[in-house]
Amino acid sequence: MDAIVKNFPAVTATDGRPSQKEAEDAVRVLLRWAGDDPAREGLLDTPARVAKAYKELFSGYDLAAEDVLGRTFEEVGGYDDIVLVKDIPFFSHCEHHMVPIIGKAHVAYLPDGKVLGLSKIARVVDIFGRRLQTQETMTAQIAKAIDDTLQPRGVAVMIEAEHMCMAMRGVQKQGSTTLTTTFTGVFKNEPAEQARFMTMLRGFK
């Protein structure tokens, strides 16, 4: 069954995004709810720091993968085999508890006459990582963005991540890793290509 991918549009001030002051006031409410005093010396600047940090941590909402992936290169010297970018680190946040997801992404595609700059693939991982996420959705979003923009013969994405919602709370199982994959095109339809992708990942470790 194919994943259902939702691409959330950027939110602008006219869409109802709260002001900086409103964000800082919300942090003060959370500090009081947690049982601390936002007026004490050590917490005076915390609301502003948290708002600034959130702006960076969730900067993916202000970026579009299509813009990053827009430029491709057709001078590939006849190369038409797998392009794999492995071990792309990312930090995201669980949309259920807003605690970190820490992991790495492996992204491959089979070119169909044109290729991407390698840094573009890493930037796409960051764009979707810097949003509130589930790992399953993020995996599918990365694959779809590359598939739609580059139109290669196939895309393969694997994400390995540790979820702090499992490590810090609830079952509190530190060190457990979640693995997700999405395949399109020949990676989805030809088991031999999936096997090659997996073999390349194991061979690089």
Side-chain angles (χ1 to χ4, degrees):
M1 183 172 134
D2 293 335
I4 298 173
V5 182
K6 297 179 180 179
N7 291 316
F8 298 98
V11 179
T12 65
T14 57
D15 293 324
R17 177 174 286 186
S19 67
Q20 176 83 11
K21 181 182 181 303
E22 289 174 312
E24 293 180 17
D25 287 344
V27 175
R28 291 186 184 93
V29 170
L30 284 173
L31 289 171
R32 291 200 306 271
W33 181 85
D36 215 320
D37 178 9
R40 71 175 176 84
E41 182 181 8
L43 294 178
L44 285 176
D45 295 326
T46 295
R49 291 192 187 103
V50 171
K52 182 179 179 181
Y54 269 36
K55 190 172 185 180
E56 180 179 355
L57 293 172
F58 301 122
S59 59
Y61 287 113
D62 295 319
L63 301 170
E66 295 78 10
D67 295 337
V68 169
L69 294 171
R71 186 180 181 190
T72 60
F73 303 93
E74 296 187 10
E75 294 183 9
V76 295
Y79 186 83
D80 63 356
D81 208 347
I82 293 176
V83 177
L84 169 63
V85 182
K86 181 178 175 289
D87 290 335
I88 304 168
F90 72 88
F91 301 91
S92 191
H93 283 76
C94 165
E95 68 180 31
H96 301 136
H97 302 99
M98 294 184 70
V99 293
I101 302 170
I102 302 169
K104 54 187 177 181
H106 316 296
V107 181
Y109 67 92
L110 276 161
D112 189 14
K114 53 188 177 180
V115 297
L116 292 166
L118 299 180
S119 65
K120 305 299 185 185
I121 295 174
R123 288 188 65 190
V124 168
V125 172
D126 274 345
I127 286 172
F128 290 116
R130 291 181 180 273
R131 300 179 183 185
L132 293 172
Q133 280 288 13
T134 68
Q135 184 174 328
E136 297 88 341
T137 298
M138 181 177 166
T139 307
Q141 286 175 331
I142 293 168
K144 184 177 187 298
I146 295 172
D147 205 39
D148 288 350
T149 305
L150 186 63
Q151 296 185 336
R153 287 178 290 140
V155 178
V157 178
M158 177 187 289
I159 291 182
E160 306 172 61
E162 183 176 4
H163 294 243
M164 294 301 105
C165 58
M166 284 184 62
M168 298 170 61
R169 57 163 301 281
V171 295
Q172 298 186 25
K173 298 299 182 184
Q174 295 81 19
S176 64
T177 301
T178 300
L179 180 69
T180 50
T181 58
T182 293
F183 301 102
T184 73
V186 296
F187 285 112
K188 182 175 182 178
N189 299 323
E190 299 181 18
E193 294 298 342
Q194 281 190 32
R196 279 215 303 151
F197 170 67
M198 297 297 188
T199 299
M200 289 176 73
L201 286 182
R202 288 195 296 267
F204 286 168
K205 288 189 181 296

